[in-house]
Amino acid sequence: NLYKFRGSNGYSLWPGARRYNQWLTSYVGDFLITAKEEGFSINSGIIDQWIKNEKSLAANWYIPGSTEQWEIRSSRFGQAYRLYVLAKSGNAMLNEMNRLKEDHQLTSHDAVLLGAAYAEAGRKDLAEQIINNSKKMEDDISNAYYSRNFGSSIRDAALITILYQDLDMKNE
């Protein structure tokens, strides 16, 4: 039961936890939206609440005041993923996408997710531009970065492959 894992603004790993995890919350939404698209019966109230919370988090997102690069990068990647899943759900937030696009410290991972969000929002031209520019970026990603979003280089490569496939960029 997902309700046991729900905190004030999102989902946590443990039932009854008060703090939520931003990455996990977006991941739960991605799963729910995909399940609904595949024909599974999903309570619309749970998706509606997820959308409301994610839109609020996206609109109020800011770069953490931390000096730790892994924390800043993890936060950007989390915002890019959130914006992609919102766009996938039919709730694209173009102002927030444009704000993130102007961030000159995006990693290639951030850019691919942001490009996919633009594609989901019907802006495939802008998506291709962002993604093509991302190929010029070099990322120096540490293990600390992955600890915040339950990831690995393998997960990121798989995610990027899926996004390229969804965007019909098979030659990439």
Side-chain angles (χ1 to χ4, degrees):
N1 185 337
L2 278 176
Y3 290 108
K4 291 180 184 178
F5 294 88
R6 204 160 143 51
S8 59
N9 288 324
Y11 292 91
S12 67
L13 283 176
W14 311 110
R18 291 195 175 129
R19 293 191 64 186
Y20 67 95
N21 180 282
Q22 291 186 45
W23 177 266
L24 180 62
T25 298
S26 295
Y27 188 78
V28 167
D30 197 357
F31 175 82
L32 292 171
I33 290 160
T34 301
K36 188 173 183 177
E37 288 172 353
E38 295 295 322
F40 289 90
S41 176
I42 305 293
N43 179 330
S44 62
I46 199 168
I47 292 179
D48 293 345
Q49 187 63 46
W50 174 85
I51 289 169
K52 178 183 172 190
N53 289 339
E54 286 291 90
K55 287 175 95 171
S56 175
L57 289 170
N60 294 306
W61 177 80
Y62 59 93
I63 296 172
S66 174
T67 58
E68 300 289 340
Q69 283 301 307
W70 62 267
E71 190 172 3
I72 294 168
R73 286 180 175 176
S74 182
S75 179
R76 275 192 196 99
F77 191 56
Q79 177 73 341
Y81 184 45
R82 177 183 300 114
L83 292 170
Y84 163 69
V85 179
L86 281 166
K88 182 178 167 181
S89 76
N91 292 277
M93 299 187 71
L94 291 172
N95 288 341
E96 287 71 16
M97 291 160 58
N98 291 338
R99 185 169 59 126
L100 187 60
K101 181 175 65 88
E102 297 304 316
D103 187 330
H104 298 290
Q105 295 188 18
L106 293 179
T107 67
S108 62
H109 300 83
D110 304 335
V112 170
L113 277 168
L114 184 58
Y118 277 108
E120 289 286 347
R123 293 295 314 269
K124 192 164 182 176
D125 58 324
L126 193 51
E128 289 177 355
Q129 176 189 353
I130 292 168
I131 290 170
N132 287 334
N133 287 341
S134 77
K135 295 173 191 164
K136 301 171 192 162
M137 299 176 183
E138 290 190 28
D139 298 331
D140 178 28
I141 297 178
S142 69
N143 287 333
Y145 160 82
Y146 287 121
S147 70
R148 299 289 275 200
N149 57 41
F150 310 107
S152 68
S153 58
I154 295 170
R155 188 272 322 260
D156 286 355
L159 179 60
I160 289 169
T161 301
I162 290 167
L163 294 173
Y164 279 170
Q165 181 180 9
D166 288 350
L167 295 171
D168 200 25
M169 299 176 76
K170 297 186 179 20
N171 295 329
E172 307 303 323

